[in-house]
Every structure is written in C-alpha cells, then in structure tokens.
Amino acid sequence: MKLPFALAKRFVAGESFEDAAPKVEKLNNKEIKITLDLLGENVEDRDTADETVESYIDLLKSINEAGLDSTISIKLTMMGLDIDYAYCKDNLFQLLEVARENDQFVRIDMEGTDYTQVTIDLFKEAFEEFGKHVGIVIQAYLYRTKEDIEDLAELGADVRICKGAYSEPADLAIQDMDKIREAYKEYTKVLLEKTDYPRIATHDDEIINWVKRYTKQHDIGKDRFEFQMLYGLRQETMEEFVEDGYNARIYVPFGTMWFPYFKRRLMERKENIWFVLSTMFKK
C-alpha cells in the first residue's frame, strides 16, 4: 500500500522539483539559502543508478534555470557505490563536471558506518579534481571523527558537521548526548580555525548558543560560517539567524522515495508524531 504524501508534507517539500521549487523560492525570498536533497538510498542496479545520475544533473540545471539560491546533496549509494567503486566514481565525476560548468556545488552526504571510509576516500579524489564544487558531511558522534576532522581540515575541505543520524553501536559511536555535544564543539573549533566556511548543522540550542559565544569571543565574523537546519523544523529560528546577520541554510528534501526519510524524522521527537497525527485528522 502506498502511503499518502500528505503524511510527509511537513518534512518533505514535494515529490518532484516542480513541487519543491516554489517553497525554495519563498525561503530564498527570506534570504535563506537552500540545499535540495533528492531522496533515496542503496541503489543496487546500474540502470537505476544511471537514472539517478541523470536526475541529479537535471536538478542542477533546473536550479540554475529557475534562478534559485540552492546547492544539492547526494548519496553515493544512489550513484552505484554498492555496485562498484570505480563505477560510482565515474558517476560522481560526471555530475561534478556539470556542477563545475554551472558554477554549482554538490554536498556528498554521509551514510552509515559501513560507508564512512569509502565516502571519505571518494570525496578526497573528487576534491582533488573539483575543489570548491564538492563538500562532505561528517558525523560528530563517531569515535573516528577526531582523526577525520583533522585530516579534512588540513585539506581545506568544505565540511558540514552534524551529530549523526544513524543508529550505530557503542564501539563505533558515542551514545551519551552530553558527550556528543562536547565532541561536536571540539570539531567545530577545528573547522572554524582551519577551514574557510564550516557548515554547522544542528537544531540543538546549547550548541547554537555556544557557537555564537565562541565566534564572538574569537573575533570570527558571522559571514565565516553558516547554520543549517532541516526543512519543516524551526523555520522561525532560521529567519532570526538572518535578521541577526548570520548565514542560514535549510536542507529541503523532495522525491517519491520519501518514506525512509520521513520515518527517521518521525522517530526523532514525539512532537513530530503529534504534528503528523493532528494533520491527518484535520478536515
């Protein structure tokens, strides 16, 4: 049974670019930047992976044609990473060529720990060739992140730091939220010191307030980094960031493969469940 998209409309901007574009434009009009995320993961056949690459390429071109202030986020498992490394690399480089031609930017999303090393390896190859047109996501709750952050910062990589979105075992990931916050802050310090423009992805007020204090104390300008949040969560906060002179970006997911993403958002906070339930029963 196909679930109605109405369930997910708080967290997902639509099932097509045409659905999402007007919402992106409205956010742009509030001086909020966007990253569009075509939903899906773990493609296992080449035909689907090839179609995904074409969809990503079309998305880059559609963003430019519509005049939107938006980059894109991709998952390597949608481009054939589970099939073959070299094949996935070819697909990624094909997409990044289009990004370079259109002066666009592609963020490589981070997936579960089975993919951490191979994602970093592929990013490094891409960064060497395409530089400012490609970035990566790093998850603060992984024990290995201390070394990864230092390594990527030395490269001058464009890093989006987040807490971590997957359920990982205790031998690989910090389980205590206070300790995750402390790790996040330490890695953010490294990125602010050694990279040009860190992307600080969090909805956590403790971290947000710490970033504001830390950057002010260390004379780091508000234009040297950006706050990022997810579509459907705390838009008013993002508008306040802009009013206060900070750079703000919302991750806007869309696409027909919305259910796994929707489920993750639903499980994060009980308030999200109540919101969806109340929407279902509105006339």
Side-chain angles (χ1 to χ4, degrees):
M1 182 184 74
K2 182 171 168 56
L3 290 168
F5 175 74
L7 286 174
K9 67 180 181 181
R10 179 184 181 184
F11 308 113
V12 181
E15 292 192 286
S16 68
F17 175 78
E18 289 71 26
D19 293 336
K23 293 160 189 172
V24 171
E25 189 173 5
K26 282 182 183 176
L27 292 167
N28 281 169
N29 289 339
K30 296 176 184 288
E31 296 183 55
I32 296 170
K33 303 174 194 301
I34 301 298
T35 293
L36 276 165
D37 181 8
L38 177 60
L39 293 171
E41 48 203 66
N42 296 102
V43 167
E44 295 179 351
D45 66 275
R46 288 179 184 247
D47 286 345
T48 307
D50 291 345
E51 288 169 11
T52 301
V53 175
E54 287 305 315
S55 295
Y56 280 145
I57 288 171
D58 289 344
L59 179 56
L60 283 177
K61 292 177 178 177
S62 296
I63 288 168
N64 272 19
E65 287 167 9
L68 301 175
D69 186 353
S70 176
T71 61
I72 72 168
S73 175
I74 66 164
K75 280 189 165 61
L76 293 177
T77 59
M78 284 185 70
M79 303 181 76
L81 186 57
D82 287 331
I83 300 167
D84 179 71
Y85 182 96
Y87 169 66
C88 182
K89 178 184 169 182
D90 287 346
N91 284 339
L92 176 62
F93 276 38
Q94 182 186 346
L95 174 65
L96 289 172
E97 283 288 358
V98 176
R100 182 158 59 187
E101 288 165 10
N102 287 273
D103 195 25
Q104 256 288 11
F105 180 85
V106 175
R107 174 80 56 198
I108 299 174
D109 204 358
M110 186 57 74
E111 303 179 62
T113 46
D114 289 348
Y115 299 101
T116 305
Q117 188 60 55
V118 70
T119 299
I120 291 172
D121 291 344
L122 261 172
F123 164 75
K124 285 181 176 177
E125 290 196 63
F127 183 68
E128 187 175 347
E129 174 65 28
F130 297 97
K132 67 176 184 176
H133 298 286
V134 64
I136 192 169
V137 179
I138 292 295
Q139 303 179 106
Y141 69 166
L142 298 182
Y143 288 114
R144 62 168 292 161
T145 294
K146 187 176 190 302
E147 286 73 30
D148 290 334
I149 281 285
E150 290 286 353
D151 184 29
L152 292 164
E154 287 297 330
L155 282 178
D158 187 313
V159 176
R160 176 184 195 251
I161 179 82
C162 66
K163 284 180 180 173
Y166 297 87
S167 178
E168 299 290 1
D171 61 325
L172 297 178
I174 305 166
Q175 306 295 313
D176 179 78
M177 185 52 69
D178 286 336
K179 290 179 180 175
I180 293 172
R181 287 190 183 103
E182 288 310 307
Y184 191 111
K185 292 172 188 176
E186 289 306 309
Y187 304 149
T188 300
K189 288 179 189 176
V190 174
L191 294 174
L192 287 166
E193 179 187 345
K194 295 187 175 180
T195 68
D196 292 338
Y197 192 74
R199 322 290 184 129
I200 300 166
T202 185
H203 300 96
D204 189 322
D205 282 322
E206 181 183 324
I207 290 174
I208 290 165
N209 292 330
W210 173 83
V211 169
K212 289 179 175 179
R213 288 194 305 272
Y214 183 84
T215 53
K216 188 174 182 181
Q217 288 165 2
H218 291 81
D219 247 356
I220 297 168
K222 293 177 181 180
D223 60 345
R224 272 263 289 107
F225 62 95
E226 71 182 21
F227 286 114
Q228 297 189 351
M229 290 188 179
L230 299 174
Y231 180 77
L233 300 169
R234 301 190 61 176
Q235 185 179 317
E236 285 183 9
T237 303
M238 299 301 271
E239 292 175 23
E240 288 166 9
F241 285 153
V242 171
E243 287 171 14
D244 292 342
Y246 292 98
N247 292 317
R249 181 180 300 274
I250 292 179
Y251 258 57
V252 177
F254 75 99
T256 57
M257 298 168 69
W258 51 263
F259 184 72
Y261 176 86
F262 165 68
K263 186 180 176 184
R264 280 200 290 272
R265 296 292 80 79
L266 207 60
M267 294 300 105
E268 281 172 350
R269 299 178 65 187
K270 63 181 183 295
E271 293 92 336
N272 292 346
I273 296 173
W274 291 120
F275 179 91
V276 170
L277 287 174
S278 67
T279 302
M280 283 174 65
F281 294 111
K282 279 181 184 173
K283 291 184 180 178

